[in-house]
């Protein structure tokens, strides 16, 4: 019993405060300084949220909060996919274009039968589950190419995914020229598809909750299980931390890298499937720069480019915080072009803080 009490005493916040109080003043200031530097981005983001709310009280109204959650849910799968690539000390520049390709393919196969500008007039509207499988296979195929080239040819993911980004975009442009489409936006989606994604089963305070929020939650639970409860998840973190040590320990580095990118491709496909119905009109611009938002969200959420570090809850936090800021910028009337600059600065600051943490630990 005395041992238990001593263990509990070590975790007592009062004891922690006493320890801090007994430290020399120089150490106290150093600890406070480290805390503010390591959490600078969160502090700035929360300060911005408070400032925007003061500027416009509608910012955190029920309808606005539901809108923020909806936008976050739509972007969560792509962030979960790209997080795995970052854990491997890589990235994926092709993510946004895979979203665009899968969104346009889904839209073309799920257009309403009686729509005048149907891309494939002689093709009946396919079942939703069949189109979803096709979309996942497309995402998995591009992900496999990314992973295979990275693992087998020892190429950096930046180069590989830059190449597949261009290839995927070219494939998208060619696809949009098929049938009667002639490069136009794909719209006129079948109501069953739109309702499946953007429909609502219930409301909160009169505000409808889109179905895809629950799909995103389900996907997040699955990804949490894969990351934390499977051998694949452990291998992913091991390879990201130290591929040589992982290989000596019996982990197949090549197979792990390939499967991480395949899983990421599947996540991009799911994002495209949701995005297709969410925006309703899909073109070559669909998915443009989505990977930037995903990378920024991951870095904000603590997924480190040094490898082997990242948590699902961190990705969720990053996605939601980033979406809050972007919605807040809209409330402030900030020009959409200026938002790209702010987005870039957020990524730069987040990466700088992350690298500083790594150097301090080292």
């Amino acid at each position: 019993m005395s041992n238990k009490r001593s263990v509990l005493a070590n975790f007592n916040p009062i004891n922690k405060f006493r320890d801090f109080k007994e430290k020399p003043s120089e150490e106290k200031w150093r600890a406070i300084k480290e805390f503010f530097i390591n959490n600078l981005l969160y502090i700035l983001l929360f300060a911005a949220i408070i400032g925007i709310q003061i500027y416009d009280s509608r910012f955190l109204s029920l309808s606005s909060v539901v809108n923020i959650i909806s936008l976050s849910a739509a972007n969560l799968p792509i962030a979960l996919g790209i997080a795995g690539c970052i854990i491997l000390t890589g990235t994926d520049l092709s993510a946004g274009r895979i979203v665009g390709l899968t969104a346009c393919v889904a839209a073309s196969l799920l257009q309403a039968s009686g729509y005048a500008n149907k891309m494939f007039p002689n093709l009946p509207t396919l079942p939703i589950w069949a189109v979803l499988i096709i979309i996942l296979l497309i995402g998995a195929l591009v992900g496999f190419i990314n992973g295979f080239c990275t693992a087998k040819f020892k190429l950096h993911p930046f180069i590989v995914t830059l190449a597949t980004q261009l290839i995927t975009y070219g494939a998208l442009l060619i696809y949009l020229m098929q049938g009667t489409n002639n490069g136009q936006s794909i719209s006129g989606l079948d109501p069953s598809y739109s309702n499946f994604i953007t429909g609502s089963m219930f409301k909160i305070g009169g505000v409808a909750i889109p179905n895809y929020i629950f799909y995103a939650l389900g996907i997040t639970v699955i990804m949490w299980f894969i990351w934390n409860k499977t051998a694949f998840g452990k291998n992913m973190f091991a390879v990201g931390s130290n591929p040589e040590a992982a290989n000596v320990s019996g982990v197949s580095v090549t197979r792990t890298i390939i499967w991480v990118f395949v899983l990421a491709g599947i996540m991009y496909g799911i994002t495209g499937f949701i995005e297709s119905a969410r925006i309703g009109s899909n073109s070559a611009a669909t998915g443009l720069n989505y990977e930037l938002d995903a990378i920024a969200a991951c870095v904000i959420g603590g997924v480190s480019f040094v490898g082997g570090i990242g948590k699902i809850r961190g990705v969720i936090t990053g996605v939601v915080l980033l979406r809050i800021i972007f919605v807040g910028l809209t409330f402030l009337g900030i020009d959409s072009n200026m938002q790209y600059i702010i987005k870039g600065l957020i990524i730069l600051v987040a990466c700088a803080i992350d690298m500083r943490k790594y150097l301090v630990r080292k």
Side-chain angles (χ1 to χ4, degrees):
M1 181 64 71
S2 60
N3 289 335
K4 288 183 178 179
R5 286 176 180 172
S6 63
V7 170
L8 290 173
N10 290 332
F11 290 95
N12 193 320
I14 297 176
N15 290 340
K16 292 289 183 183
F17 177 74
R18 285 173 183 165
D19 292 341
F20 176 79
K21 197 173 180 181
E22 291 170 1
K23 284 183 179 180
S25 57
E26 185 178 342
E27 288 187 26
K28 289 180 184 178
W29 283 113
R30 189 181 298 118
I32 293 172
K33 178 184 174 183
E34 288 297 318
F35 173 81
F36 277 100
I37 292 176
N38 291 336
N39 296 279
L40 176 62
L41 196 59
Y42 288 107
I43 294 170
L44 292 176
L45 289 174
F46 280 115
I49 292 169
I50 295 172
I52 296 168
Q53 174 63 17
I54 294 173
Y55 177 82
D56 191 334
S57 59
R58 298 173 301 167
F59 176 53
L60 295 180
S61 64
L62 178 60
S63 59
S64 179
V65 169
V66 171
N67 179 50
I68 290 170
I69 294 173
S70 300
L71 293 172
S72 301
N75 288 273
L76 188 55
I78 185 175
L80 292 171
I82 216 165
C85 303
I86 296 175
I87 287 172
L88 294 181
T89 68
T91 188
D92 194 341
L93 301 179
S94 66
R97 291 306 184 185
I98 297 174
V99 170
L101 176 61
T102 53
C104 288
V105 171
S108 66
L109 299 179
L110 288 169
Q111 283 182 301
S113 299
Y115 184 60
N117 296 322
K118 188 172 170 61
M119 186 170 177
F120 302 112
N122 298 324
L123 182 69
T125 302
L126 299 181
I128 293 175
W129 62 266
V131 175
L132 179 58
I133 291 175
I134 293 171
I135 294 308
L136 296 183
L137 289 175
I138 293 173
L141 175 61
V142 183
F144 175 80
I145 295 171
N146 287 335
F148 183 83
C149 293
T150 299
K152 284 292 185 181
F153 303 144
K154 308 301 180 184
L155 298 174
H156 195 282
F158 181 92
I159 300 300
V160 175
T161 58
L162 176 61
T164 52
Q165 178 195 62
L166 297 172
I167 294 169
T168 304
Y169 184 51
L172 171 58
L173 294 175
I174 293 172
Y175 185 80
L176 289 173
M177 295 300 295
Q178 303 306 305
T180 62
N181 197 57
N182 197 28
Q184 302 300 310
S185 299
I186 305 173
S187 54
L189 304 182
D190 191 80
S192 63
Y193 176 39
S194 299
N195 292 333
F196 179 73
I197 300 297
T198 60
S200 177
M201 292 182 288
F202 65 92
K203 298 180 179 180
I204 296 179
V207 180
I209 309 299
N211 292 333
Y212 63 84
I213 290 180
F214 302 104
Y215 305 151
L217 288 175
I219 292 165
T220 303
V221 171
I222 293 171
M223 289 295 287
W224 178 89
F225 181 82
I226 292 173
W227 279 27
N228 297 282
K229 300 297 181 181
T230 66
F232 166 76
K234 295 176 182 177
N235 292 344
M236 178 182 72
F237 283 100
V239 172
S241 298
N242 192 326
E244 289 79 13
N247 188 49
V248 171
S249 302
V251 176
S252 176
V253 175
T254 298
R255 187 183 304 127
T256 300
I257 292 174
I258 291 174
W259 275 110
V260 167
F261 277 94
V262 168
L263 182 59
I266 291 173
M267 290 296 104
Y268 308 153
I270 293 173
T271 304
F273 187 77
I274 292 174
E275 197 70 359
S276 177
R278 192 182 73 85
I279 63 179
S281 180
N282 297 271
S283 66
T286 302
L288 178 63
N289 291 331
Y290 278 31
E291 66 275 4
L292 299 182
D293 288 353
I295 292 171
C298 290
V299 175
I300 290 171
V303 182
S304 177
F305 274 100
V306 301
I309 301 173
K311 294 182 179 180
I312 293 292
R313 67 170 179 265
V315 178
I316 297 172
T317 302
V319 170
V320 173
L321 279 177
L322 197 64
R323 198 50 50 188
I324 287 174
I325 293 302
F326 292 154
V327 171
L329 292 175
T330 303
F331 271 87
L332 293 175
I334 303 297
D335 182 69
S336 59
N337 297 325
M338 185 64 184
Q339 292 185 25
Y340 285 107
I341 297 176
I342 296 173
K343 199 179 298 184
L345 289 173
I346 289 174
I347 295 174
L348 186 62
V349 172
C351 288
I353 294 173
D354 174 64
M355 184 53 65
R356 188 185 182 280
K357 290 179 184 177
Y358 171 71
L359 293 174
V360 168
R361 286 195 301 267
K362 193 174 180 181

